Amino acid sequence: MFKKIGPGVLVAAAFVGPGTLTMCTLAGVRFGYSLIWALLVSIIATIVLQGMAGRIGLVTQSGLVDVVKQQVQSKGLRNLVIAIVFGAILVGNAAYEAGNIGGATLGLEQLISHQPLKPFLPLFIGLIIFFLLWFSTYKILEKIFVALVGIMGVSFVICAIITQPSITGIIKGMFVPQLPEGSLLTVIALVGTTVVPYNLFLHASLVKEKWTSKADLKTLNWDTILSIGLGGLVSMAILITASAAPLSDIGNALDMAVALEPLFGKMAVYFMATGLLAAGITSAITAPLAAAFVASSSFGWEGGMQNIKFKLVWLLVVLCGVVFLSFDIKPIQVIQFAQIANGILLPIMASLLLWVVNKKSVMGENKNTLLQNILGFAIVGFAIFLGAKSILKVIGLF
């Protein structure tokens, strides 16, 4: 079974990062179990979209940008799409890398000293990421991620179990949608941290590193469902744990563990810190990796992950994260641009995915079924709504 697990684990690790931890914690602290349904919808949407992206990668043995370049006939439109994608992924991931490294730093600080150790820890975490990416092949990274996601999953599920949650409350929150007053932006944020545009590029590119035959489609589908389902379980476990925390608000995910310490002892802090460290490292690896894959497809570089230009792109993203943290630079404007770009990118990429995955000339007999199209169009509509709301929020109109 473990030999069949592949790129889906990296996608799950990518979306369960410090940002997701913080948003799930906020949702649990502020609204209890009532927004679990939003996570369930997000996970289903992620499975559908990532399944399409993975299928395109396996059937065509190309990255998403390569396929789009081949299928969009208009040179002007093709260049516009590539520019939007490249700008959103490269700049966005460089901005968010600081948050990923910061989450790992926060977890490590709690495990070794309970005291802030900046600026040394961000550099230390950055060096770990550098060595893992520079010297690892896809197969090695896959094994590392299986281990880290396993640690992350066990840590957060144990945290949820020791809070002795209400099973009835969880089921109600999962299948009876509610929208408590003031919860709309939290719902948008929960979906936005789960359905991540850059993961579509990452998945399609990694699939061809793992499999080369259409006979592996069934394995690919199960890998996507199981891995992303596990990521969703981790997100729900964080929200459930936060519901039991005696807090009115939080500054970061680790605040929840500190609040739970009087109830469950120091082990709550250690479990949460371990999970946060694993989540930070996994997201800090996948974000620069996705940026490098997009750059590689955009400029037609050969040699895959071992290409020196490929390595320089992810190195630039990692350096941005370390520099932002080490010198306390607040990349607010860059992050705001990334939010706007991702708000535009998600519906564009979801629409392009649907278009490509329905082209018989590209997918042959593996094009979308009617059910997949119905789900896909529903997700595109929701993505347009989500993107519009996130853009309006950033520019101050909502």
Side-chain angles (χ1 to χ4, degrees), residues 102-145:
T105 300
L106 195 61
L108 190 57
E109 282 174 352
Q110 290 299 312
L111 286 173
I112 62 178
S113 73
H114 295 279
Q115 297 293 328
L117 298 175
K118 288 182 180 180
F120 306 107
L121 280 188
L123 180 59
F124 176 68
I125 296 292
L127 286 172
I128 290 175
I129 295 161
F130 169 79
F131 283 113
L132 286 174
L133 282 171
W134 190 273
F135 295 106
S136 296
T137 62
Y138 168 74
K139 289 184 178 180
I140 294 172
L141 282 178
E142 188 179 87
K143 289 181 173 63
I144 291 168
F145 271 73

Side-chain angles (χ1 to χ4, degrees), residues 187-206:
V187 170
I188 292 172
L190 284 173
V191 177
T193 59
T194 307
V195 189
V196 183
Y198 82 71
N199 282 343
L200 300 172
F201 301 94
L202 183 67
H203 202 182
S205 296
L206 290 176

Side-chain angles (χ1 to χ4, degrees), residues 188 339-340 342-347 381-393:
I188 292 172
Q339 286 179 318
I340 292 175
N342 282 338
I344 297 170
L345 186 61
L346 181 55
F382 192 54
I384 291 170
F385 168 79
L386 174 69
K389 291 291 187 186
S390 65
I391 292 166
L392 290 174
K393 178 190 172 188

Side-chain angles (χ1 to χ4, degrees), residues 16-350:
V16 185
T20 299
L21 266 64
T22 300
M23 286 316 305
C24 289
T25 302
L26 274 170
V29 166
R30 293 176 180 174
F31 306 107
Y33 300 146
S34 59
L35 296 184
I36 296 179
W37 66 269
L39 276 178
L40 181 62
V41 169
S42 303
I43 294 304
I44 293 171
T46 303
I47 288 172
V48 172
L49 291 179
Q50 296 294 159
M52 291 181 195
R55 193 156 24 111
I56 290 170
L58 181 59
V59 171
T60 66
Q61 287 296 295
S62 300
L64 277 185
V65 176
D66 292 317
V67 176
V68 170
K69 282 163 64 177
Q70 293 167 8
Q71 296 303 313
V72 178
Q73 300 301 316
S74 167
K75 185 177 180 181
L77 181 59
R78 180 168 63 243
N79 290 340
L80 176 62
V81 171
I82 291 172
I84 291 173
V85 168
F86 185 69
I89 298 298
L90 186 63
V91 178
N93 287 5
Y96 291 128
E97 184 71 353
N100 296 329
I101 295 175
T105 300
L106 195 61
L108 190 57
E109 282 174 352
Q110 290 299 312
L111 286 173
I112 62 178
S113 73
H114 295 279
Q115 297 293 328
L117 298 175
K118 288 182 180 180
F120 306 107
L121 280 188
L123 180 59
F124 176 68
I125 296 292
L127 286 172
I128 290 175
I129 295 161
F130 169 79
F131 283 113
L132 286 174
L133 282 171
W134 190 273
F135 295 106
S136 296
T137 62
Y138 168 74
K139 289 184 178 180
I140 294 172
L141 282 178
E142 188 179 87
K143 289 181 173 63
I144 291 168
F145 271 73
V146 168
L148 287 173
V149 170
I151 291 169
M152 185 167 63
V154 169
S155 297
F156 291 128
V157 170
I158 287 175
C159 279
I161 291 171
I162 62 177
T163 65
Q164 299 178 347
S166 164
I167 303 300
T168 305
I170 292 171
I171 293 173
K172 182 180 177 183
M174 193 177 294
F175 297 108
V176 182
Q178 304 171 62
L179 203 62
E181 186 177 351
S183 65
L184 179 59
L185 289 182
T186 304
V187 170
I188 292 172
L190 284 173
V191 177
T193 59
T194 307
V195 189
V196 183
Y198 82 71
N199 282 343
L200 300 172
F201 301 94
L202 183 67
H203 202 182
S205 296
L206 290 176
V207 159
K208 60 190 180 70
E209 299 276 344
K210 174 77 173 180
W211 298 297
T212 57
S213 170
K214 294 178 185 177
D216 293 312
L217 273 170
K218 189 175 180 180
T219 305
L220 165 67
N221 291 335
W222 278 112
D223 171 56
T224 303
I225 293 168
L226 290 174
S227 299
I228 294 173
L230 174 61
L233 178 65
V234 171
S235 297
M236 289 183 185
I238 297 162
L239 190 153
I240 290 164
T241 305
S243 299
L247 288 169
S248 58
D249 211 344
I250 64 155
N252 58 65
L254 205 60
D255 287 351
M256 174 171 65
V258 176
L260 290 172
E261 188 173 345
L263 299 175
F264 305 116
K266 287 188 177 180
M267 289 309 293
V269 175
Y270 289 123
F271 278 123
M272 185 61 70
T274 300
L276 187 57
L277 173 62
I281 288 178
T282 53
S283 293
I285 291 174
T286 52
L289 204 55
F293 275 122
V294 170
S296 179
S297 293
S298 297
F299 299 111
W301 297 335
E302 301 291 337
M305 293 174 61
Q306 301 309 312
N307 184 294
I308 189 65
K309 295 176 183 176
F310 183 97
K311 291 184 174 184
L312 287 174
V313 172
W314 63 247
L315 178 59
L316 175 64
V317 174
V318 174
L319 279 174
C320 285
V322 172
V323 169
F324 286 156
L325 274 180
S326 298
F327 296 98
D328 283 328
I329 297 172
K330 308 295 183 186
I332 299 300
Q333 291 181 333
V334 180
I335 290 175
Q336 284 183 334
F337 168 79
Q339 286 179 318
I340 292 175
N342 282 338
I344 297 170
L345 186 61
L346 181 55
I348 288 175
M349 282 316 304

